[in-house]
Amino acid sequence: MDPFSSEGELLSIHNAFHQGQLTTVIEHNSSALAPENVIKAQVYKYRARIALGEAEEVSAELEGEDSPELAAVKALAAYTTGNTSIAAADIAKVISSSSKNGTVQVIGGIILHLEGKSDDAVALLSEHQGNLEAVSLIVQIRLCQNRTDLALKEVQAAKRWAQDSLLVNLAESWVGLRVGGEKYQQAYYVFEELAQAPSTSTAPTLVGQAVAEIHLGRLEEAEVALQQALAKDPKHAQALANAIVLSVLAGKDNSDQLSLLRNTMPDHPLLTDLEQKSELFDRAAAKYAAKITA
Amino acid sequence: MQTMLTKFESKSSRAKGIAFHPKRPWILVSLHSSTIQLWDYRMGTLIDRFEEHDGPVRGVDFHRTQPLFVSGGDDYKIKVWSYQTRRCLFTLSGHLDYVRTVFFHHELPWILSSSDDQTIRIWNWQNRSLICTMTGHNHYAMCAQFHPKEDLIVSASLDQSVRVWDISGLRKKHSAPTSMTFEDQMARANSQQADMFGNTDAVVKFVLEGHDRGVNWVSFHPTLPLIVSAGDDRNVKLWRMSETKAWEVDTCRGHFANASACLFHPHQDLILSVGEDKTIRVWDLNKRTPVQSFKRENDRFWVIAAHPEINLFAAGHDNGVMVFKLERERPAYTVHQNNLFFINKEKHVRSYDFVKNAESLSMLSLKKLGNAWIPPRALSYNPAERAILVTSTADNGIYELINLPKDSSGAVEPTDTKRGSGTSAVFVARNRFAVFTSATQTIDIKDLSNSTTKSIKPPTTVNDIYFGGTGCLLLCAPAAVILYDIQQKKTVAELAVSGVKYVVWSNDGLHAALLSKHNVTIVTKSLEQVSTLHETIRIKSAAWDDSSVLLYSTLNHIKYTLLNGDNGIIRTLDQTVYLVRVKGKSVYCLDRQAKPQTITIDPTEYRFKLALVKKNYEEMLQIIKTSNLVGQSIISYLQKKGYSEIALQFVQDPQTRFELALECGNLDVAVETAKELDRPKLWTRLGSEALKQGNHQVVEMAYQKLRSFDKLSFLYLLTGDTQKLTRMAKIAEHRNDYTSRFQNSLFLGDVENRIQLLKEIDLYPLAYMTAKAHGLTDECQAILEASGLTEDQIHIPETGAPLPAPKAIVPTHESNWPLRATSQSFFEKALLGQVEALTIEEPAPIASNQLDFDEESKEEMSRSNGNLMADDEDEAGWDIGEDIVLEEQEGLITVDHDDTAAGTSEAELWARNSPIAADHVAAGSFDSAMQLLSRQVGAVNFEPLKFRFMEIYQATRTYLPASVGLPPLVNYVRRTLEATDSRKVLPIIPRDLEYITTKDLQAAFATMKNNVLDEGVVLFRRILHTLLLSTVKSKNEVEEAKKIIQTATEYILAMTIELERRSIEKDPAQVKRNLELSAYFTKPQMELPHRQIALMAAMKVAYTKKNFLSAAEFASRVLANNSSGKNAETARKIKVNGERNAHDAIEIEYDSFAEFEICAASLTPIYAGSPLEQCPFDGSKYKPEYKGSVCRICNISSIGSPASGLRLLAQ
């Protein structure tokens, strides 16, 4: 039986991970798991810790581990701590030796995409055997490539065999937010469902709801959702970033929020993008400078 | 077997007769034990017992209008009773055996009785006489009833026959005599054939034979010519009659013992019958097939009765009586946002829009759902899929999942329905619903294709399920409610509340009301109990107000409860309704006919209480001021809650006011009311309260009123008021009260007086002692002399030092000090008008130092600030080119891309889809945006636009957290919410035209009013920059935007002129320039009040510089705009003065009659006909020499450069 299926014993840890309940993942009691699932649960726990900023500790703990899963996690930890080139080489090794391993595919896909080798990442991920996480990664990578059409195909294919899964629902709403129109509302329903249920309400799901609401033009509601998200996690970078966007849309001052984001996550795409655009503006404006006469 | 909805049950001996009261919730039950009971079946209480019959009482009936009832028993007697006086009025005797049934006539003062003596008799209860005896049956007459409209009687007898009697003759005989012609009389005499006894009053019309055994009961149909009878042959027979004949239609077979009674359903095509087989059976009148049956374990049924108006029946059996309904009257309904979805009596699905207050046409017909006689039970709505789930109790519970049609076009049969069996079904998520089956105790989670995705065993026995928040269910168990997480399959919370039948969620989803028969429990969304309340009358429904007040309906009231459990009655109800929505003063509900109704309520009381609970004093004050909130209940509520000071505001009655004032320590009111009432008791209480507070002035008043001299004296001593103390001493003297005098003299330290007093009362020893102690030797001597003694004759103990009179250190008596702090509540202050925030006052305008305009013009300004677009100007200085050439631009901005590789980001699409600069900015394509601006408005200086560029860019991208470990997904915010076609999508642009007009422009106008011109220039310029990068929705908005640009331009020009003038004002060499600039300031087209400011300023400057003629001219223009007020007064004076000295001291370059523009750079006039250049964006005018330089107004465009015009509209 698929351990992630609705009856499987890894369902809760899997869902917690993808709903952003990372501490729940770490605290998950995996002592009663079947032996073949122990390693999978462990991988989730390590990944959750990496996401929570404990990449160095994880790196240290995994020193010397050579099972493909843990080697992949180790590479991810190394990549996160900034040793990108070493990590990329490591993961390449792991991939070449065990490209059929689901965990290796997922983590390999992540690192390859981060390295800019998105097509390689998709190629690797496409070898999956019914692994929804691989599907969701492909969807995200396709969306990053602005290939909404391919992402949509991927989702629809996955829906045929895993309609009820959290990840498929999420991936579908990611696509929905690109497609727009009625899909905005549907994406909203997915996020709202997660964000408003007490057991699955987390900062990421609330941010998802808020983003959908922004796209639906419901700014006040979005603000409420973002406030809830920030109440759960005051330093949630995405919540802050979207709050900035929302302030601009509402014509409010956002300098405080900007500096807050700068402190929490100086390399957030919003900030780097703004910086680039600011330079771009100056460069573009300079072309006209000659024409300015008092 | 169907369960009936039993509403009331009584325990007693065998019930033989039953009657419903037509109006009140009462039922009469006559018992085999000789007692007649009167029950209130709604409250379940026994109202009265009537015990005068001897032996079983078999028949009983209420009079329709009079407070009477009639009974007949085995003592052969018929008794007429008054339930008001609770006694038997009289007895009608005549029958010779048991009386089986008695009935009142619906309009005549007649009683119809049937008896074992084989007769049927009609009695007049007014003159208490027997008026007719009908013979013919040759066995016991078991039942006889009047026809509800015609002059007919039907009777049943153990002789196996049913007889129909014509009593029109009897009616004629007993109605008022009318004059008749002889022929008429003859005709009448001949037409009426006499029966065998020559009796023409009542004649047998039909004899219906068909029952094989005795017939126990017979009834007429209320409207159709039908009769139904029940007999010992276990059959229920239906008969039809015409004018001339009657015949058997059909037989309903099913009872397996004697059928005791039967009747027609008053409103539906149904027959009900009861029998000794312990069953109640319901039959279809048209098909004569069984519809429903209900069995009691041990009790044989003897009688059945129907309520004449409402859907209620009663059946009497061996151990009492039961009142029941055949079907639920609660319509199936559900509310989503502003729509109510419900199923009406025709089983049509309809919706009701609370915003439009309109009911839709039928959307679907559910005729085929379940059984024809069973209405749908519940409805659940899924807004995401626009689907409904309907459940019905038919066939042990079924549900159907149906998609609603897009628009309601009539009662169409649903096409694509999915069904299954289950007790209840609710949507739990966008694409999931839960079906609960009571028999197997399982909950299936199904997807929209109706296939089960998950099956849950509830943790305990469950009666019903409700939506419990996303992904959760509320399971209603007999003694608890459980919040159950579907995904994790576990109980999240459990609350012990018994018998919960309905769950109503608040509009914000934070609270839910759990309704059981007699309790309302309010819980949070995580199932924590907030409050609970008990009702003796059944609770029917509930709906939440937007401010989290729960309104609920009982059988006969609408009530409310606040979250904290404070509750009260809002109004009474004539008929039971089901509340669905509360909006302001309107309560929307469905009645039992499933018709939407709106009830207007007065929410003042609960709003007030809510405000009180939330300590929202502003609102309370508002309510007190605007509505008449009175009544004992609100006062006692306030008192109970410790808000006596607020209660005080409502009370007129001085006694209550006094009590409340004391309670909250409001002495002023207490004094006022005490004066009014002037009762010693009140003064005593006031005195002690005032003493507690330290308010001795009030204490003094109280003591004065009470004439408590001693206390007064002591008070004066304490407060150090010697003057008054002296007066007290005088008063004591007046009153000849020696004790008091003594006391006062002690307090005052007035030794002489004391001695004098002691002497007066012949207490010479004491007087002597006193004098001695104070060393008053003369006085001592005088006393000795008076008493005829010498010093050595008396022995006195040692006296200590004389007691000095205490001296007041602080003159406390002058004022009340110290006072116990009585906190004056915010509320009281508000009432006294001390809280300024409550009154909406315009903040005082900043004093202007140079332009001084008075109050009036400010008022004018604030008034006209509201309608900005009033002035329509036709100057065509600025035009929007419709025909911009786009092709060449597209060449610039299209990025070639390989179709197999990465796709085009949405941002790039925006740039492709739009010729508007703002959209290009949103796309991040700053280069092309600048090119567009350069082409459209000759923009060259972009630096001031940077803020707007970045603002737009930032607003159009959201960051969605997706896979863990990857950066967020960037999504693009559109203004085209509906579009999915990649050629139509366009970005959202923050701060749209509406924002600019309502916020930015108002702020900018305010700077003019408040005379902060440099700031004004900045603000107006910002408006220009915002509009330069904007989009609008329609051509009208384009015009509007143009006007705003023009307005901003005029204001910037005006402000620049004035600022320039102020910079040179002090320079004596520039007097001429000063005057000129002040004149030019009046030129730009500003709003009237602002122009008035400019004119006043120009007038004053001109006047002070002795340019009287110009001043007069400005004055006339001021007057032309407004000829009253203080400004006009000044202007008038200046005008008169100016006309008297009609000359200007300094000649300036300004001619108010000449047509000219002002060059925005040099601030000098450009006369009509002279060459000029314009700014291609804002249209400001310049002298030709400024061509090519940056526009002084907008700071963006190059003056006089060729331009196609700004585009704001995409198409």
Coordinates of all heavy atoms in Angstrom, one line a residue, chain B residues 459-492:
Chain B
P459 N -17.2 8.1 16.9 CA -16.7 7.6 18.2 C -17.8 7.2 19.1 O -17.5 6.5 20.1 CB -15.9 8.8 18.7 CG -16.4 10.0 18.0 CD -16.8 9.5 16.7
T460 N -19.0 7.6 18.9 CA -20.1 7.2 19.7 C -21.4 7.2 18.9 O -21.4 7.6 17.7 CB -20.2 8.2 20.9 OG1 -21.4 7.9 21.7 CG2 -20.3 9.7 20.5
T461 N -22.5 6.8 19.5 CA -23.7 6.8 18.8 C -24.2 8.2 18.4 O -24.2 9.1 19.3 CB -24.8 6.1 19.6 OG1 -24.3 4.9 20.0 CG2 -26.1 5.9 18.7
V462 N -24.5 8.5 17.2 CA -24.7 9.8 16.7 C -26.1 9.9 16.2 O -26.6 8.9 15.6 CB -23.6 10.2 15.7 CG1 -24.0 11.5 14.9 CG2 -22.3 10.4 16.3
N463 N -26.8 11.1 16.4 CA -28.1 11.2 15.8 C -28.1 12.0 14.5 O -28.9 11.7 13.6 CB -29.0 12.1 16.8 CG -29.2 11.3 18.0 OD1 -29.1 10.1 18.1 ND2 -29.5 12.0 19.1
D464 N -27.1 12.9 14.4 CA -27.1 13.8 13.2 C -25.7 14.4 13.1 O -25.0 14.4 14.0 CB -28.2 14.9 13.4 CG -28.7 15.4 12.1 OD1 -28.1 15.1 11.1 OD2 -29.6 16.2 12.1
I465 N -25.5 14.9 11.9 CA -24.2 15.5 11.7 C -24.4 16.9 11.1 O -25.4 17.1 10.4 CB -23.3 14.7 10.7 CG1 -23.9 14.5 9.4 CG2 -22.9 13.4 11.4 CD1 -23.0 14.0 8.3
Y466 N -23.5 17.8 11.4 CA -23.5 19.2 10.8 C -22.1 19.6 10.4 O -21.1 19.0 10.9 CB -24.1 20.1 11.9 CG -25.6 20.1 12.0 CD1 -26.2 19.3 12.9 CD2 -26.4 20.8 11.1 CE1 -27.5 19.2 13.0 CE2 -27.7 20.7 11.2 CZ -28.3 19.9 12.1 OH -29.7 19.9 12.2
F467 N -22.1 20.5 9.5 CA -20.8 21.1 9.1 C -20.1 21.7 10.4 O -20.8 22.3 11.2 CB -21.1 22.3 8.1 CG -19.9 23.0 7.7 CD1 -18.9 22.3 6.9 CD2 -19.7 24.3 8.0 CE1 -17.8 23.0 6.4 CE2 -18.5 25.0 7.6 CZ -17.6 24.3 6.8
G468 N -18.8 21.4 10.5 CA -18.1 21.8 11.7 C -17.0 22.7 11.4 O -16.0 22.7 12.1
G469 N -17.1 23.5 10.4 CA -15.9 24.3 10.0 C -15.2 23.5 8.9 O -15.4 22.3 8.9
T470 N -14.3 24.1 8.2 CA -13.7 23.4 7.0 C -13.0 22.1 7.5 O -12.3 22.1 8.5 CB -12.7 24.3 6.3 OG1 -13.3 25.6 6.2 CG2 -12.4 23.7 5.0
G471 N -13.4 21.0 6.8 CA -12.7 19.7 7.1 C -13.2 19.1 8.4 O -12.6 18.1 8.8
C472 N -14.2 19.7 9.0 CA -14.6 19.1 10.3 C -16.1 18.9 10.3 O -16.9 19.5 9.5 CB -14.3 20.0 11.5 SG -12.6 20.2 11.8
L473 N -16.6 18.0 11.1 CA -18.0 17.8 11.3 C -18.4 18.0 12.7 O -17.6 17.7 13.6 CB -18.3 16.3 10.9 CG -18.5 16.0 9.4 CD1 -18.7 14.5 9.3 CD2 -19.7 16.7 8.8
L474 N -19.6 18.4 13.0 CA -20.1 18.4 14.3 C -21.0 17.2 14.4 O -22.0 17.1 13.6 CB -20.9 19.7 14.6 CG -20.1 20.9 15.0 CD1 -20.9 22.1 15.1 CD2 -19.3 20.7 16.3
L475 N -20.7 16.3 15.3 CA -21.6 15.1 15.5 C -22.5 15.3 16.7 O -22.0 15.6 17.8 CB -20.7 13.9 15.7 CG -19.5 13.7 14.8 CD1 -18.7 12.4 15.1 CD2 -20.0 13.6 13.3
C476 N -23.8 15.2 16.4 CA -24.7 15.4 17.5 C -25.0 14.0 18.1 O -25.8 13.3 17.5 CB -26.0 16.1 17.1 SG -25.6 17.7 16.4
A477 N -24.5 13.8 19.2 CA -24.8 12.5 19.9 C -25.9 12.8 21.0 O -26.2 14.0 21.2 CB -23.5 12.0 20.6
P478 N -26.5 11.8 21.5 CA -27.7 12.1 22.4 C -27.2 13.0 23.6 O -28.0 13.8 24.1 CB -28.1 10.7 22.9 CG -27.7 9.8 21.8 CD -26.4 10.4 21.2
A479 N -26.0 12.8 24.1 CA -25.7 13.6 25.3 C -24.5 14.5 25.1 O -24.0 15.1 26.0 CB -25.4 12.7 26.5
A480 N -24.0 14.6 23.9 CA -22.8 15.4 23.6 C -22.8 15.9 22.2 O -23.5 15.3 21.3 CB -21.6 14.6 24.0
V481 N -22.0 16.9 21.9 CA -21.6 17.3 20.6 C -20.1 17.1 20.4 O -19.4 17.5 21.3 CB -22.1 18.7 20.3 CG1 -21.6 19.2 19.0 CG2 -23.6 18.8 20.4
I482 N -19.8 16.5 19.3 CA -18.4 16.2 19.1 C -17.9 17.0 17.8 O -18.5 16.9 16.8 CB -18.2 14.7 18.9 CG1 -18.6 14.0 20.2 CG2 -16.7 14.4 18.5 CD1 -18.8 12.5 20.0
L483 N -16.8 17.7 18.0 CA -16.1 18.3 16.8 C -15.1 17.2 16.3 O -14.2 16.8 17.0 CB -15.4 19.6 17.2 CG -14.7 20.3 16.1 CD1 -15.8 20.8 15.0 CD2 -14.0 21.5 16.6
Y484 N -15.3 16.8 15.0 CA -14.6 15.7 14.5 C -13.8 16.1 13.3 O -14.4 16.7 12.4 CB -15.6 14.6 14.2 CG -14.9 13.2 13.9 CD1 -14.6 12.4 15.0 CD2 -14.6 12.8 12.6 CE1 -14.0 11.2 14.8 CE2 -14.0 11.6 12.4 CZ -13.7 10.8 13.5 OH -13.1 9.6 13.3
D485 N -12.5 15.8 13.3 CA -11.7 16.2 12.1 C -11.7 15.0 11.2 O -11.3 13.9 11.5 CB -10.2 16.4 12.6 CG -9.4 17.0 11.5 OD1 -9.4 16.4 10.4 OD2 -8.7 18.0 11.7
I486 N -12.2 15.3 10.0 CA -12.4 14.2 9.0 C -11.1 13.7 8.5 O -10.9 12.5 8.4 CB -13.2 14.7 7.8 CG1 -14.6 15.2 8.3 CG2 -13.4 13.7 6.8 CD1 -15.3 16.1 7.3
Q487 N -10.2 14.6 8.3 CA -8.9 14.2 7.7 C -8.1 13.3 8.6 O -7.7 12.2 8.3 CB -8.1 15.4 7.3 CG -7.1 15.1 6.2 CD -6.2 16.2 6.1 OE1 -6.1 17.1 6.8 NE2 -5.4 16.1 5.0
Q488 N -8.0 13.7 9.9 CA -7.3 13.0 10.8 C -8.1 11.9 11.5 O -7.5 11.1 12.3 CB -6.7 13.9 11.9 CG -5.9 15.0 11.2 CD -5.2 15.9 12.3 OE1 -5.4 15.8 13.5 NE2 -4.5 16.9 11.8
K489 N -9.4 11.9 11.2 CA -10.3 10.9 11.8 C -10.1 10.9 13.3 O -9.9 9.9 13.9 CB -9.9 9.5 11.3 CG -10.3 9.3 9.8 CD -10.4 7.8 9.6 CE -10.7 7.6 8.1 NZ -10.7 6.1 7.9
K490 N -10.2 12.0 13.9 CA -10.2 12.0 15.3 C -11.0 13.1 15.9 O -11.4 14.1 15.2 CB -8.7 12.2 15.8 CG -8.1 13.5 15.5 CD -6.8 13.7 16.2 CE -6.3 15.1 16.2 NZ -4.9 15.3 16.4
T491 N -11.4 12.9 17.2 CA -12.2 13.9 17.9 C -11.3 15.1 18.3 O -10.3 14.9 18.9 CB -12.8 13.3 19.1 OG1 -13.6 12.2 18.7 CG2 -13.7 14.2 19.9
V492 N -11.7 16.3 17.9 CA -11.0 17.5 18.2 C -11.4 18.0 19.6 O -10.6 18.4 20.4 CB -11.1 18.6 17.1 CG1 -10.3 19.8 17.5 CG2 -10.7 18.0 15.8

